[in-house]
Amino acid sequence: MAAEGGGGGGGAVYDPSYVPDSVKTFVAHMYRHVREKNVYEIHQMYEGGFQRLSDRLFRDAPWPAAEAVSPYCDGDHVFLLLYRELWYRHAYARASSSSSSSAPLTAGQRAESWANYCDLFSVVLHGVVNMQLPNQWLWDMVDEFVYQFQSFCQYRAKLKNKSDDELHQLKQFDKAWNVYGVLNYLQALVEKSMIAQILEREKEGLEQFTATDGYDYQGGSNVLKMLGYYSMIGLLRIHCLLGDYRTGLKCLAPIDLNQQGVYTIVIGSHISAIYHYGFANLMMRRYAEAIHEFNKILLYILKYKQYHQKSLQYDQILKKNEQMYALLAVCLSLCPQHNLIDENVSTQLKEKYNDKMTKMQRFDEEAYAAYDELFSYACPKFITPSPPALDQPLTNYNQDAYRLQLKLFLYEVKQQQLLSGIRSYLKLYSTITIAKLAQYMEVDEATLRAMKNLSQYLYRSILMTYKHKMHAVDNNGKIVSSADFDFYIKEDVIHVMESKPIKRHGDYFLRQILKFEEMIGELEKVQFD
């Protein structure tokens, strides 16, 4: 780990070989717990001990080099790979922190982190890993792997102000974080773990994967199995970053989001899965599905976010929460189905974006500006995975992928300019003539008749456009509708069939019961003199 010596911050000069006593104790105890498969103690040290030591001793400097702590873990190769994974994660966190004085990571350091992940995943895929690790750590491992790939692509795309040394390192480490390598490792973890088959057998009652939270209580290991499980979410995220939404959704298909699953155990994996799933559905015009999933996760966060206030992921939870409200506002503006969202979520949404949602219904320049603003705020940080041409004039192209996705999204929005008016008028009638609809929409009927066939013009150019935009193809190749009504045309008369929403009285009573329980709890705290 040659790059470890180059990551020091301000103050005293960083000595990678110096190991404080508290770190010696930490490493020795962590190693013992890993060998004993003591998941509870590993989780306590991973979530608590590592962060406390980082804040106290390594706020402005890296942790000691892996070679320096090797004597305190018997030089165990696999454990040192895990230690290096934490080392680089801490280095990335310091480099990205606004309060840290640390220098940005070099291409060499990023390449070394890539090499460590390759070694670690190769051991898991081709070796015998006889240990159990907390689900939180295994999720963070996959999440960090994808984040570092994304970070490297962004770093590599900013060429304009790079020094000669930085450009030389980019040439030297041009194989690091290759998109095919990243995808291949995640896909290999999915296939080798046979997680898709495990989840399929669980549906038939032949497996106990969800009931055991993915852990193996028969003396085996959960590492490959859970890395394979979380890799499906990682693949969804990467394909969203690349703009390949259909492939991303296919990668997540083995996980049934309508059932309680292991992905909900770790709040980070829960939010990441639903955020990227919802965004992919939005970009594929599956608005109703996106609204349904955003509503579920936002309601969950609304109820339980106070229990994660001490979590390291709390700020990220709040950020994704705000982004998903923005995406929900976009979905409801393009496909107004407010009956799909809970009243508590609806209240929060109105407080945040009521004015913008009103603007987005108008489809003028202000509306496009609102769509642009919300999309730019809430979308993933898209990447261009191909390496730059360093022999050409150096420019920054890190925003190219984002601009392309924004352009495609706004093009889709502009195509629906006439559709908002159609929906509002058709909702008012069970039957309406095409001529009358044209009159309401301020379309000159005489002008249209001059085009020889008014019915055919409107049918094909506007009404069929509405049908097309309100339908999409799901993962099974089935055409599904996002509209809350349907229509057909017979002899220049439009016949509207509105679907009646199913009244769920149970949801109302459950909400009232919860409210009363909260009130009773508050009353019990009152002290009477």
Side-chain angles (χ1 to χ4, degrees), residues 213-346:
D213 293 341
Y215 291 109
D216 191 320
Y217 293 106
Q218 306 299 321
S221 170
N222 72 325
V223 174
L224 175 60
K225 189 165 51 176
M226 288 308 301
L227 284 177
Y229 183 85
Y230 288 133
S231 289
M232 292 189 289
I233 302 174
L235 285 167
L236 166 65
R237 179 180 170 187
I238 288 180
H239 286 297
C240 281
L241 296 176
L242 298 173
D244 188 357
Y245 306 109
R246 187 176 301 278
T247 302
L249 292 175
K250 283 184 179 178
C251 291
L252 194 71
I255 299 178
D256 187 355
L257 298 181
N258 293 318
Q259 301 293 328
Q260 187 76 6
V262 178
Y263 73 96
T264 62
I265 302 300
V266 177
I267 184 69
S269 71
H270 191 183
I271 290 176
S272 181
I274 302 303
Y275 167 79
H276 290 99
Y277 178 83
F279 185 82
N281 276 290
L282 163 62
M283 296 300 283
M284 294 180 68
R285 298 204 320 273
R286 302 176 186 174
Y287 304 120
E289 180 67 14
I291 292 168
H292 178 68
E293 291 301 328
F294 283 142
N295 173 66
K296 284 199 305 184
I297 189 66
L298 290 171
L299 189 59
Y300 174 85
I301 295 173
L302 190 63
K303 289 181 178 179
Y304 298 107
K305 67 181 178 182
Q306 67 267 25
Y307 301 114
H308 297 280
Q309 288 181 354
K310 296 182 179 179
S311 169
L312 299 176
Q313 292 85 28
Y314 187 64
D315 289 342
Q316 187 66 17
I317 291 171
L318 295 183
K319 180 182 177 182
K320 278 286 176 277
N321 182 65
E322 294 302 312
Q323 287 180 316
M324 287 190 286
Y325 270 112
L327 292 175
L328 181 59
V330 169
C331 289
L332 287 171
S333 297
L334 293 171
C335 177
Q337 290 212 38
H338 294 269
N339 60 301
L340 294 178
I341 62 174
D342 181 89
E343 63 179 271
N344 293 308
V345 173
S346 179

Side-chain angles (χ1 to χ4, degrees), residues 104-288:
L105 292 173
T106 65
Q109 290 170 313
R110 295 167 188 268
E112 287 190 359
S113 181
W114 160 251
N116 187 70
Y117 272 116
C118 292
D119 292 341
L120 179 57
F121 290 157
S122 294
V123 168
V124 173
L125 288 167
H126 307 298
V128 178
V129 179
N130 187 26
M131 60 184 177
Q132 295 233 59
L133 294 179
N135 286 340
Q136 180 70 60
W137 192 349
L138 295 170
W139 160 250
D140 289 343
M141 208 177 287
V142 172
D143 189 49
E144 183 71 14
F145 180 67
V146 176
Y147 164 73
Q148 290 188 21
F149 164 64
Q150 178 185 10
S151 176
F152 184 79
C153 289
Q154 295 285 351
Y155 168 82
R156 185 175 57 187
K158 297 177 183 177
L159 295 174
K160 200 168 185 179
N161 297 318
K162 283 204 171 15
S163 65
D164 291 340
D165 181 57
E166 288 176 311
L167 294 173
H168 174 72
Q169 287 196 36
L170 281 177
K171 289 181 181 178
Q172 182 181 355
F173 302 108
D174 60 337
K175 302 298 182 186
W177 295 108
N178 178 279
V179 63
Y180 296 112
V182 172
L183 291 172
N184 285 342
Y185 270 115
L186 293 177
Q187 189 60 42
L189 288 168
V190 172
E191 292 176 1
K192 185 68 182 288
S193 66
M194 299 184 70
I195 188 63
Q197 292 86 336
I198 290 173
L199 293 175
E200 194 61 37
R201 288 202 302 272
E202 184 179 43
K203 294 177 183 177
E204 301 169 4
L206 303 175
E207 285 280 349
Q208 290 291 311
F209 180 74
T210 303
T212 62
D213 293 341
Y215 291 109
D216 191 320
Y217 293 106
Q218 306 299 321
S221 170
N222 72 325
V223 174
L224 175 60
K225 189 165 51 176
M226 288 308 301
L227 284 177
Y229 183 85
Y230 288 133
S231 289
M232 292 189 289
I233 302 174
L235 285 167
L236 166 65
R237 179 180 170 187
I238 288 180
H239 286 297
C240 281
L241 296 176
L242 298 173
D244 188 357
Y245 306 109
R246 187 176 301 278
T247 302
L249 292 175
K250 283 184 179 178
C251 291
L252 194 71
I255 299 178
D256 187 355
L257 298 181
N258 293 318
Q259 301 293 328
Q260 187 76 6
V262 178
Y263 73 96
T264 62
I265 302 300
V266 177
I267 184 69
S269 71
H270 191 183
I271 290 176
S272 181
I274 302 303
Y275 167 79
H276 290 99
Y277 178 83
F279 185 82
N281 276 290
L282 163 62
M283 296 300 283
M284 294 180 68
R285 298 204 320 273
R286 302 176 186 174
Y287 304 120

Side-chain angles (χ1 to χ4, degrees), residues 303 342-344 505-520:
K303 289 181 178 179
D342 181 89
E343 63 179 271
N344 293 308
H505 300 292
D507 291 347
Y508 172 80
F509 287 112
L510 283 172
R511 286 196 297 272
Q512 300 309 313
I513 290 169
L514 288 171
K515 285 181 181 178
F516 280 122
E517 286 181 346
E518 289 176 5
M519 291 170 61
I520 292 169

